[in-house]
Amino acid sequence: MQKLYIHPLPVRIWHWVNASGIVALILTGLQIRYVGAIDVLSFGTAISLHNWIGFILIANFFVWLLFYLFSDKTRVYHPELSPTKYFRDSLRQIQYYGYGIFKGDPNPHHVTAYRKFNALQSMSYQIVMMVAVPIQFYTGLLLWDVTRFAGAVAFFGGVRVVDTVHVLLFIFFVSFVCIHIYLATLGHTRTAHIKAMLTGYEEIEHETTHGA
Ligand code: HEM
């Protein structure tokens, strides 16, 4: 067992503020959507909380973005792999999660400081952070003040279209969080990956440190 520092402090701060904020947005979002059926908060309080948390998470997003833009860690999202190798690694990872793991096979991905993610993680985190999160924040901003942003709302086809995109992404995030938490428990112990996201250090069972 060796310890490898893979999650720098800004990423850890961003991650846990983001994780708790997204869960709070999901819960206040449900309260807003199902007012009458759920009455934990008043409609006004739920909207106000949802807006405040939304703005905090928009600011927090830039912690993640600026960290990766201005540090050499950007490489963790761009491993030097040919598209064929990337595709093959993704298939190997799918085979592991869908079948190998249940037979006790070892994880085909070996973590190093600059390759902390397997091919599936690196692809899905980039889609989440560069597509889903920005669209969700942008549609949220438009819905926050449809009068101020009337031009943009009309450009995208009206409040209904913007709201539908926001709700579809809400469903995506609920599914993402469930799958993400399940995958986060698949380290060498149930809590190993989660502890690593808290301390920065992942415990690695093999000797490979190249690239670190
Ligand atoms: C709510 C409970 C959550 C837990 C327990 C959790 C756990 C983890 C863990 C253990 C990692 C380390 C890498 C890995 O194992 O995949 C991670 C990374 C990551 N998580 Fe979460 N997560 C949570 C919520 C979220 C949410 C809501 C989002 C985004 C909407 C998110 C986005 C990410 C991203 C993008 C990374 C990669 C971070 C990097 O750039 O290094 N997580 N998460």
Side-chain angles (χ1 to χ4, degrees), residues 11 15 18-19 64 68 77 116-117 121 125 176 180 193:
V11 171
H15 182 270
N18 186 64
W64 178 88
Y68 277 114
Y77 278 107
K116 63 175 176 175
F117 297 136
Q121 283 173 311
Y125 290 153
F176 169 79
H180 185 60
H193 291 331

Side-chain angles (χ1 to χ4, degrees), residues 11-212:
V11 171
R12 284 179 278 145
I13 294 174
W14 159 78
H15 182 270
W16 293 117
V17 171
N18 186 64
S20 40
I22 297 264
V23 171
L25 284 177
I26 289 172
L27 296 176
T28 49
L30 281 171
Q31 175 64 86
I32 294 168
R33 177 70 181 75
Y34 294 107
V35 63
I38 304 172
D39 281 315
V40 178
L41 299 173
S42 76
F43 190 58
T45 310
I47 289 185
S48 170
L49 267 176
H50 196 79
N51 290 341
W52 274 105
I53 298 165
F55 281 118
I56 292 168
L57 290 201
I58 291 175
N60 188 44
F61 173 77
F62 289 98
V63 173
W64 178 88
L65 186 66
L66 295 177
F67 172 79
Y68 277 114
L69 281 180
F70 295 107
S71 81
D72 67 338
K73 297 286 181 193
T74 321
R75 279 197 267 164
V76 301
Y77 278 107
H78 296 283
E80 282 151 14
L81 294 179
S82 67
T84 326
K85 174 97 173 75
Y86 203 90
F87 185 67
R88 238 188 270 129
D89 280 5
S90 304
L91 286 184
R92 244 180 1 152
Q93 208 61 43
I94 291 171
Q95 199 265 347
Y96 168 70
Y97 286 137
Y99 178 61
I101 194 170
F102 301 110
K103 294 197 297 147
D105 288 352
N107 192 325
H109 177 69
H110 299 298
V111 173
T112 68
Y114 285 102
R115 288 228 32 215
K116 63 175 176 175
F117 297 136
N118 65 48
L120 286 185
Q121 283 173 311
S122 126
M123 195 180 3
S124 51
Y125 290 153
Q126 283 183 79
I127 294 171
V128 168
M129 295 306 290
M130 302 310 294
V131 182
V133 164
I135 297 178
Q136 188 68 333
F137 287 165
Y138 186 59
T139 50
L141 189 69
L142 297 185
L143 293 169
W144 165 66
D145 195 337
V146 287
T147 317
R148 183 188 304 223
F149 299 113
V153 172
F155 176 80
F156 291 111
V159 175
R160 274 193 181 193
V161 176
V162 177
D163 192 38
T164 303
V165 173
H166 200 68
V167 171
L168 288 176
L169 280 170
F170 158 84
I171 296 166
F172 167 82
F173 279 109
V174 173
S175 325
F176 169 79
V177 170
C178 295
I179 297 168
H180 185 60
I181 293 178
Y182 164 67
L183 292 175
T185 63
L186 301 184
H188 71 91
T189 65
R190 288 272 165 263
T191 52
H193 291 331
I194 295 165
K195 277 190 193 143
M197 206 19 130
L198 287 165
T199 62
Y201 289 91
E202 179 86 52
E203 287 182 332
I204 313 290
E205 278 170 307
H206 64 95
E207 294 297 310
T208 321
T209 52
H210 68 270

